[in-house]
Amino acid sequence: MLLDDALAGAGLVSRFDGPIVDVGAGGGTPGIPLAASFPERRVTLLEAERRKCEFLERWTSELPNLEVVWGRAEEQPLEAYGVAVAKALAQPPTAAEWCLPLVRDGGAVVLWIGPSAERDRVERVAARLAGELVDAPDGFLVIRKTGPTPPGFPRRTGMAKKRPLA
Ligand SMILES: C[S@@+](CC[C@H](N)C(=O)[O-])C[C@H]1O[C@@H](n2cnc3c(N)ncnc32)[C@H](O)[C@@H]1O
Protein backbone atom coordinates (compact mmCIF):
# COMPACT_ATOMS: atom_id res chain seq x y z
CA MET A 1 0.00 0.00 0.00
CA LEU A 2 2.75 2.45 1.01
CA LEU A 3 4.70 1.27 -2.00
CA ASP A 4 1.75 1.83 -4.35
CA ASP A 5 1.30 5.27 -2.92
CA ALA A 6 4.97 6.14 -3.44
CA LEU A 7 5.03 4.74 -6.96
CA ALA A 8 1.85 6.58 -7.96
CA GLY A 9 4.05 9.68 -8.26
CA ALA A 10 6.79 8.03 -10.33
CA GLY A 11 5.19 9.04 -13.64
CA LEU A 12 5.08 12.67 -12.55
CA VAL A 13 8.71 12.57 -11.44
CA SER A 14 9.77 11.05 -14.77
CA ARG A 15 8.57 14.18 -16.61
CA PHE A 16 11.52 16.11 -15.18
CA ASP A 17 15.23 15.33 -15.52
CA GLY A 18 18.02 15.40 -13.01
CA PRO A 19 18.76 14.27 -9.49
CA ILE A 20 15.86 13.73 -7.09
CA VAL A 21 15.62 14.77 -3.45
CA ASP A 22 13.01 13.39 -1.03
CA VAL A 23 12.57 16.15 1.53
CA GLY A 24 11.65 14.86 5.00
CA ALA A 25 12.18 11.25 3.94
CA GLY A 26 11.32 9.88 7.41
CA GLY A 27 11.07 6.10 6.96
CA GLY A 28 12.06 6.39 3.30
CA THR A 29 8.91 7.01 1.33
CA PRO A 30 8.62 7.99 -1.46
CA GLY A 31 12.41 8.26 -1.98
CA ILE A 32 13.40 4.60 -1.63
CA PRO A 33 10.77 3.25 -4.07
CA LEU A 34 11.72 6.05 -6.49
CA ALA A 35 15.42 5.12 -6.24
CA ALA A 36 14.48 1.52 -7.07
CA SER A 37 12.32 2.69 -10.00
CA PHE A 38 14.96 5.00 -11.48
CA PRO A 39 18.31 3.25 -10.95
CA GLU A 40 20.02 5.66 -13.37
CA ARG A 41 19.06 8.72 -11.31
CA ARG A 42 20.70 9.93 -8.11
CA VAL A 43 18.18 10.02 -5.24
CA THR A 44 18.95 11.91 -2.02
CA LEU A 45 16.96 11.28 1.15
CA LEU A 46 17.06 14.55 3.09
CA GLU A 47 15.96 14.17 6.70
CA ALA A 48 16.26 16.49 9.70
CA GLU A 49 16.39 13.78 12.39
CA ARG A 50 19.68 11.98 12.78
CA ARG A 51 18.22 8.73 14.10
CA LYS A 52 16.00 8.43 11.05
CA CYS A 53 19.05 9.04 8.85
CA GLU A 54 20.89 6.17 10.52
CA PHE A 55 18.01 3.85 9.65
CA LEU A 56 17.83 5.18 6.08
CA GLU A 57 21.59 4.65 5.57
CA ARG A 58 21.03 0.87 5.59
CA TRP A 59 19.32 1.15 2.23
CA THR A 60 22.34 2.65 0.50
CA SER A 61 24.04 -0.75 0.26
CA GLU A 62 21.01 -2.10 -1.62
CA LEU A 63 20.59 0.90 -3.92
CA PRO A 64 23.86 2.42 -5.17
CA ASN A 65 22.05 5.50 -6.56
CA LEU A 66 20.74 6.39 -3.08
CA GLU A 67 22.37 8.76 -0.58
CA VAL A 68 21.25 10.12 2.77
CA VAL A 69 21.77 13.71 3.93
CA TRP A 70 21.10 14.70 7.53
CA GLY A 71 19.86 18.28 7.56
CA ARG A 72 17.02 20.70 7.10
CA ALA A 73 15.64 21.77 3.74
CA GLU A 74 16.19 25.46 4.53
CA GLU A 75 19.92 24.90 5.07
CA GLN A 76 20.83 23.04 1.87
CA PRO A 77 22.68 24.31 -1.23
CA LEU A 78 20.24 25.95 -3.65
CA GLU A 79 19.03 24.47 -6.93
CA ALA A 80 21.04 21.25 -6.73
CA TYR A 81 18.20 18.99 -7.93
CA GLY A 82 15.93 18.46 -10.89
CA VAL A 83 13.03 17.23 -8.77
CA ALA A 84 12.12 17.61 -5.09
CA VAL A 85 9.46 15.24 -3.78
CA ALA A 86 7.74 15.39 -0.39
CA LYS A 87 5.06 13.38 1.34
CA ALA A 88 3.63 14.43 4.71
CA LEU A 89 6.52 16.86 5.19
CA ALA A 90 4.37 19.80 6.37
CA GLN A 91 1.27 21.72 5.32
CA PRO A 92 1.54 22.07 1.52
CA PRO A 93 2.29 25.86 1.53
CA THR A 94 5.21 25.23 3.92
CA ALA A 95 6.39 22.16 2.02
CA ALA A 96 6.34 24.17 -1.23
CA GLU A 97 8.42 26.96 0.31
CA TRP A 98 10.98 24.45 1.63
CA CYS A 99 11.22 22.46 -1.60
CA LEU A 100 11.25 25.10 -4.36
CA PRO A 101 14.71 26.57 -3.57
CA LEU A 102 16.23 23.09 -3.86
CA VAL A 103 15.14 22.76 -7.49
CA ARG A 104 16.77 24.33 -10.53
CA ASP A 105 15.02 26.35 -13.25
CA GLY A 106 13.01 23.92 -15.42
CA GLY A 107 12.73 21.34 -12.63
CA ALA A 108 9.76 20.67 -10.38
CA VAL A 109 8.43 19.96 -6.92
CA VAL A 110 6.05 17.01 -6.60
CA LEU A 111 3.96 17.01 -3.39
CA TRP A 112 1.86 14.07 -2.24
CA ILE A 113 -1.20 15.77 -0.72
CA GLY A 114 -4.37 14.93 1.17
CA PRO A 115 -7.92 16.00 0.26
CA SER A 116 -7.76 19.11 2.48
CA ALA A 117 -4.80 20.66 0.67
CA GLU A 118 -5.51 24.25 -0.36
CA ARG A 119 -4.32 24.58 -3.91
CA ASP A 120 -4.77 28.37 -4.08
CA ARG A 121 -2.50 28.89 -1.05
CA VAL A 122 0.20 26.78 -2.66
CA GLU A 123 -0.25 28.72 -5.89
CA ARG A 124 0.43 31.98 -4.04
CA VAL A 125 3.53 30.57 -2.34
CA ALA A 126 4.81 29.18 -5.64
CA ALA A 127 4.44 32.59 -7.32
CA ARG A 128 6.78 34.10 -4.69
CA LEU A 129 9.43 31.46 -5.35
CA ALA A 130 9.54 31.33 -9.17
CA GLY A 131 7.16 28.40 -9.32
CA GLU A 132 3.88 27.68 -11.08
CA LEU A 133 1.36 24.93 -10.51
CA VAL A 134 0.82 22.61 -13.45
CA ASP A 135 -1.87 19.97 -13.99
CA ALA A 136 -1.57 16.91 -11.77
CA PRO A 137 -3.85 14.00 -10.85
CA ASP A 138 -5.76 13.90 -7.54
CA GLY A 139 -3.45 13.35 -4.62
CA PHE A 140 -0.61 15.44 -6.05
CA LEU A 141 0.50 19.00 -6.59
CA VAL A 142 3.21 19.62 -9.19
CA ILE A 143 5.01 22.97 -9.16
CA ARG A 144 7.32 23.76 -12.05
CA LYS A 145 10.29 26.02 -11.34
CA THR A 146 10.29 28.80 -13.93
CA GLY A 147 13.35 30.83 -12.93
CA PRO A 148 16.05 31.27 -10.31
CA THR A 149 15.17 31.37 -6.62
CA PRO A 150 14.38 35.01 -5.76
CA PRO A 151 16.58 36.85 -3.25
CA GLY A 152 15.50 36.42 0.37
CA PHE A 153 14.80 32.68 0.06
CA PRO A 154 15.07 30.33 1.77
CA ARG A 155 13.85 32.28 4.79
CA ARG A 156 15.58 31.49 8.06
CA THR A 157 14.94 28.12 9.69
CA GLY A 158 11.44 27.71 11.07
CA MET A 159 9.89 30.76 9.35
CA ALA A 160 8.06 28.89 6.58
CA LYS A 161 6.17 26.92 9.22
CA LYS A 162 5.68 29.73 11.74
CA ARG A 163 4.66 32.38 9.22
CA PRO A 164 3.56 30.75 5.96
CA LEU A 165 3.66 33.04 2.92
CA ALA A 166 -0.01 32.29 2.20
C1 LIG B 1 5.55 12.90 8.91
S1 LIG B 1 7.18 12.52 8.40
C2 LIG B 1 6.88 11.91 6.77
C3 LIG B 1 7.93 10.93 6.34
C4 LIG B 1 7.74 10.28 4.98
N1 LIG B 1 7.89 11.22 3.90
C5 LIG B 1 6.40 9.58 4.90
O1 LIG B 1 5.55 9.97 4.12
O2 LIG B 1 6.22 8.58 5.63
C6 LIG B 1 7.94 14.13 8.12
C7 LIG B 1 9.46 14.06 8.18
O3 LIG B 1 9.98 15.33 7.74
C8 LIG B 1 11.11 15.65 8.54
N2 LIG B 1 11.25 17.12 8.45
C9 LIG B 1 10.42 18.06 8.97
N3 LIG B 1 10.84 19.29 8.62
C10 LIG B 1 11.96 19.13 7.86
C11 LIG B 1 12.84 20.03 7.21
N4 LIG B 1 12.65 21.36 7.27
N5 LIG B 1 13.86 19.53 6.49
C12 LIG B 1 14.06 18.18 6.44
N6 LIG B 1 13.26 17.28 7.04
C13 LIG B 1 12.22 17.75 7.75
C14 LIG B 1 10.75 15.12 9.93
O4 LIG B 1 11.91 14.88 10.71
C15 LIG B 1 9.99 13.84 9.59
O5 LIG B 1 10.85 12.71 9.56
PDB file of all heavy atoms in Angstrom, residues 24-26 29 47-49 52 71-74 87-89 98, ligand 1:
ATOM      1  N   GLY A  24      12.366  15.424   3.847  1.00  0.00           N
ATOM      2  CA  GLY A  24      11.655  14.859   5.004  1.00  0.00           C
ATOM      3  C   GLY A  24      11.341  13.403   4.727  1.00  0.00           C
ATOM      4  O   GLY A  24      10.197  12.965   4.821  1.00  0.00           O
ATOM      5  N   ALA A  25      12.385  12.637   4.401  1.00  0.00           N
ATOM      6  CA  ALA A  25      12.183  11.253   3.942  1.00  0.00           C
ATOM      7  C   ALA A  25      11.633  10.349   5.045  1.00  0.00           C
ATOM      8  O   ALA A  25      10.981   9.348   4.740  1.00  0.00           O
ATOM      9  CB  ALA A  25      13.497  10.702   3.400  1.00  0.00           C
ATOM     10  N   GLY A  26      11.878  10.672   6.311  1.00  0.00           N
ATOM     11  CA  GLY A  26      11.321   9.876   7.411  1.00  0.00           C
ATOM     12  C   GLY A  26      11.746   8.420   7.303  1.00  0.00           C
ATOM     13  O   GLY A  26      12.915   8.085   7.357  1.00  0.00           O
ATOM     14  N   THR A  29       9.881   6.930   2.430  1.00  0.00           N
ATOM     15  CA  THR A  29       8.914   7.008   1.333  1.00  0.00           C
ATOM     16  C   THR A  29       8.582   8.458   0.992  1.00  0.00           C
ATOM     17  O   THR A  29       8.435   9.268   1.918  1.00  0.00           O
ATOM     18  CB  THR A  29       7.632   6.215   1.682  1.00  0.00           C
ATOM     19  OG1 THR A  29       6.769   6.206   0.544  1.00  0.00           O
ATOM     20  CG2 THR A  29       6.885   6.814   2.833  1.00  0.00           C
ATOM     21  N   GLU A  47      16.761  14.387   5.488  1.00  0.00           N
ATOM     22  CA  GLU A  47      15.960  14.174   6.697  1.00  0.00           C
ATOM     23  C   GLU A  47      16.606  14.928   7.858  1.00  0.00           C
ATOM     24  O   GLU A  47      17.812  14.872   8.053  1.00  0.00           O
ATOM     25  CB  GLU A  47      15.855  12.656   6.966  1.00  0.00           C
ATOM     26  CG  GLU A  47      15.284  12.246   8.278  1.00  0.00           C
ATOM     27  CD  GLU A  47      13.930  12.883   8.620  1.00  0.00           C
ATOM     28  OE1 GLU A  47      13.012  12.824   7.802  1.00  0.00           O
ATOM     29  OE2 GLU A  47      13.821  13.453   9.737  1.00  0.00           O
ATOM     30  N   ALA A  48      15.756  15.636   8.631  1.00  0.00           N
ATOM     31  CA  ALA A  48      16.255  16.489   9.703  1.00  0.00           C
ATOM     32  C   ALA A  48      16.655  15.722  10.959  1.00  0.00           C
ATOM     33  O   ALA A  48      17.441  16.219  11.759  1.00  0.00           O
ATOM     34  CB  ALA A  48      15.183  17.528  10.054  1.00  0.00           C
ATOM     35  N   GLU A  49      16.103  14.527  11.146  1.00  0.00           N
ATOM     36  CA  GLU A  49      16.390  13.783  12.391  1.00  0.00           C
ATOM     37  C   GLU A  49      17.481  12.738  12.164  1.00  0.00           C
ATOM     38  O   GLU A  49      17.335  11.864  11.308  1.00  0.00           O
ATOM     39  CB  GLU A  49      15.115  13.072  12.883  1.00  0.00           C
ATOM     40  CG  GLU A  49      14.124  14.025  13.502  1.00  0.00           C
ATOM     41  CD  GLU A  49      12.947  13.297  14.125  1.00  0.00           C
ATOM     42  OE1 GLU A  49      13.095  12.125  14.544  1.00  0.00           O
ATOM     43  OE2 GLU A  49      11.856  13.904  14.160  1.00  0.00           O
ATOM     44  N   LYS A  52      16.661   8.926  12.267  1.00  0.00           N
ATOM     45  CA  LYS A  52      16.004   8.427  11.047  1.00  0.00           C
ATOM     46  C   LYS A  52      17.034   8.257   9.930  1.00  0.00           C
ATOM     47  O   LYS A  52      16.965   7.314   9.141  1.00  0.00           O
ATOM     48  CB  LYS A  52      14.893   9.392  10.626  1.00  0.00           C
ATOM     49  CG  LYS A  52      13.715   9.364  11.588  1.00  0.00           C
ATOM     50  CD  LYS A  52      12.585  10.270  11.159  1.00  0.00           C
ATOM     51  CE  LYS A  52      11.455  10.243  12.181  1.00  0.00           C
ATOM     52  NZ  LYS A  52      10.403  11.216  11.910  1.00  0.00           N
ATOM     53  N   GLY A  71      19.921  16.821   7.537  1.00  0.00           N
ATOM     54  CA  GLY A  71      19.865  18.284   7.556  1.00  0.00           C
ATOM     55  C   GLY A  71      18.464  18.771   7.266  1.00  0.00           C
ATOM     56  O   GLY A  71      17.554  17.984   6.985  1.00  0.00           O
ATOM     57  N   ARG A  72      18.324  20.074   7.351  1.00  0.00           N
ATOM     58  CA  ARG A  72      17.021  20.705   7.095  1.00  0.00           C
ATOM     59  C   ARG A  72      16.985  21.281   5.685  1.00  0.00           C
ATOM     60  O   ARG A  72      18.006  21.776   5.181  1.00  0.00           O
ATOM     61  CB  ARG A  72      16.774  21.822   8.110  1.00  0.00           C
ATOM     62  CG  ARG A  72      16.621  21.306   9.550  1.00  0.00           C
ATOM     63  CD  ARG A  72      16.103  22.398  10.444  1.00  0.00           C
ATOM     64  NE  ARG A  72      14.804  22.882  10.017  1.00  0.00           N
ATOM     65  CZ  ARG A  72      13.632  22.395  10.411  1.00  0.00           C
ATOM     66  NH1 ARG A  72      13.589  21.386  11.247  1.00  0.00           N
ATOM     67  NH2 ARG A  72      12.505  22.909   9.971  1.00  0.00           N
ATOM     68  N   ALA A  73      15.808  21.269   5.102  1.00  0.00           N
ATOM     69  CA  ALA A  73      15.644  21.772   3.737  1.00  0.00           C
ATOM     70  C   ALA A  73      16.131  23.214   3.597  1.00  0.00           C
ATOM     71  O   ALA A  73      16.754  23.570   2.594  1.00  0.00           O
ATOM     72  CB  ALA A  73      14.167  21.680   3.344  1.00  0.00           C
ATOM     73  N   GLU A  74      15.869  24.028   4.616  1.00  0.00           N
ATOM     74  CA  GLU A  74      16.190  25.461   4.533  1.00  0.00           C
ATOM     75  C   GLU A  74      17.685  25.720   4.567  1.00  0.00           C
ATOM     76  O   GLU A  74      18.116  26.853   4.367  1.00  0.00           O
ATOM     77  CB  GLU A  74      15.569  26.233   5.705  1.00  0.00           C
ATOM     78  CG  GLU A  74      14.138  25.980   6.019  1.00  0.00           C
ATOM     79  CD  GLU A  74      13.947  24.849   7.029  1.00  0.00           C
ATOM     80  OE1 GLU A  74      14.341  23.705   6.725  1.00  0.00           O
ATOM     81  OE2 GLU A  74      13.400  25.094   8.099  1.00  0.00           O
ATOM     82  N   LYS A  87       6.325  13.982   0.907  1.00  0.00           N
ATOM     83  CA  LYS A  87       5.061  13.376   1.338  1.00  0.00           C
ATOM     84  C   LYS A  87       4.968  13.570   2.845  1.00  0.00           C
ATOM     85  O   LYS A  87       5.889  13.187   3.583  1.00  0.00           O
ATOM     86  CB  LYS A  87       5.077  11.893   0.977  1.00  0.00           C
ATOM     87  CG  LYS A  87       3.823  11.164   1.313  1.00  0.00           C
ATOM     88  CD  LYS A  87       3.865   9.763   0.706  1.00  0.00           C
ATOM     89  CE  LYS A  87       2.746   8.939   1.255  1.00  0.00           C
ATOM     90  NZ  LYS A  87       2.990   8.518   2.639  1.00  0.00           N
ATOM     91  N   ALA A  88       3.871  14.202   3.273  1.00  0.00           N
ATOM     92  CA  ALA A  88       3.630  14.425   4.709  1.00  0.00           C
ATOM     93  C   ALA A  88       4.777  15.191   5.371  1.00  0.00           C
ATOM     94  O   ALA A  88       5.077  14.968   6.540  1.00  0.00           O
ATOM     95  CB  ALA A  88       3.395  13.088   5.424  1.00  0.00           C
ATOM     96  N   LEU A  89       5.416  16.069   4.636  1.00  0.00           N
ATOM     97  CA  LEU A  89       6.522  16.861   5.192  1.00  0.00           C
ATOM     98  C   LEU A  89       5.979  17.945   6.108  1.00  0.00           C
ATOM     99  O   LEU A  89       6.505  18.166   7.204  1.00  0.00           O
ATOM    100  CB  LEU A  89       7.330  17.482   4.031  1.00  0.00           C
ATOM    101  CG  LEU A  89       8.334  18.570   4.393  1.00  0.00           C
ATOM    102  CD1 LEU A  89       9.453  17.995   5.273  1.00  0.00           C
ATOM    103  CD2 LEU A  89       8.927  19.187   3.115  1.00  0.00           C
ATOM    104  N   TRP A  98       9.742  25.154   1.325  1.00  0.00           N
ATOM    105  CA  TRP A  98      10.979  24.454   1.627  1.00  0.00           C
ATOM    106  C   TRP A  98      11.587  23.801   0.378  1.00  0.00           C
ATOM    107  O   TRP A  98      12.801  23.749   0.229  1.00  0.00           O
ATOM    108  CB  TRP A  98      10.727  23.374   2.682  1.00  0.00           C
ATOM    109  CG  TRP A  98      10.657  23.898   4.086  1.00  0.00           C
ATOM    110  CD1 TRP A  98      11.153  25.101   4.554  1.00  0.00           C
ATOM    111  CD2 TRP A  98      10.089  23.236   5.225  1.00  0.00           C
ATOM    112  NE1 TRP A  98      10.911  25.209   5.892  1.00  0.00           N
ATOM    113  CE2 TRP A  98      10.264  24.086   6.343  1.00  0.00           C
ATOM    114  CE3 TRP A  98       9.451  22.009   5.403  1.00  0.00           C
ATOM    115  CZ2 TRP A  98       9.828  23.743   7.623  1.00  0.00           C
ATOM    116  CZ3 TRP A  98       9.009  21.672   6.679  1.00  0.00           C
ATOM    117  CH2 TRP A  98       9.201  22.529   7.778  1.00  0.00           C
TER     118      TRP A  98
HETATM  119  C1  LIG B   1       5.552  12.905   8.910  1.00  0.00           C
HETATM  120  S1  LIG B   1       7.177  12.520   8.401  1.00  0.00           S
HETATM  121  C2  LIG B   1       6.879  11.911   6.766  1.00  0.00           C
HETATM  122  C3  LIG B   1       7.928  10.926   6.337  1.00  0.00           C
HETATM  123  C4  LIG B   1       7.744  10.282   4.982  1.00  0.00           C
HETATM  124  N1  LIG B   1       7.891  11.223   3.903  1.00  0.00           N
HETATM  125  C5  LIG B   1       6.404   9.582   4.904  1.00  0.00           C
HETATM  126  O1  LIG B   1       5.548   9.972   4.118  1.00  0.00           O
HETATM  127  O2  LIG B   1       6.222   8.585   5.626  1.00  0.00           O
HETATM  128  C6  LIG B   1       7.939  14.130   8.117  1.00  0.00           C
HETATM  129  C7  LIG B   1       9.462  14.063   8.181  1.00  0.00           C
HETATM  130  O3  LIG B   1       9.979  15.327   7.740  1.00  0.00           O
HETATM  131  C8  LIG B   1      11.111  15.655   8.545  1.00  0.00           C
HETATM  132  N2  LIG B   1      11.255  17.119   8.451  1.00  0.00           N
HETATM  133  C9  LIG B   1      10.424  18.058   8.970  1.00  0.00           C
HETATM  134  N3  LIG B   1      10.836  19.294   8.625  1.00  0.00           N
HETATM  135  C10 LIG B   1      11.960  19.128   7.862  1.00  0.00           C
HETATM  136  C11 LIG B   1      12.842  20.030   7.205  1.00  0.00           C
HETATM  137  N4  LIG B   1      12.653  21.359   7.270  1.00  0.00           N
HETATM  138  N5  LIG B   1      13.864  19.531   6.490  1.00  0.00           N
HETATM  139  C12 LIG B   1      14.061  18.182   6.439  1.00  0.00           C
HETATM  140  N6  LIG B   1      13.261  17.276   7.037  1.00  0.00           N
HETATM  141  C13 LIG B   1      12.221  17.746   7.749  1.00  0.00           C
HETATM  142  C14 LIG B   1      10.749  15.123   9.927  1.00  0.00           C
HETATM  143  O4  LIG B   1      11.906  14.878  10.709  1.00  0.00           O
HETATM  144  C15 LIG B   1       9.993  13.836   9.593  1.00  0.00           C
HETATM  145  O5  LIG B   1      10.853  12.715   9.559  1.00  0.00           O
END
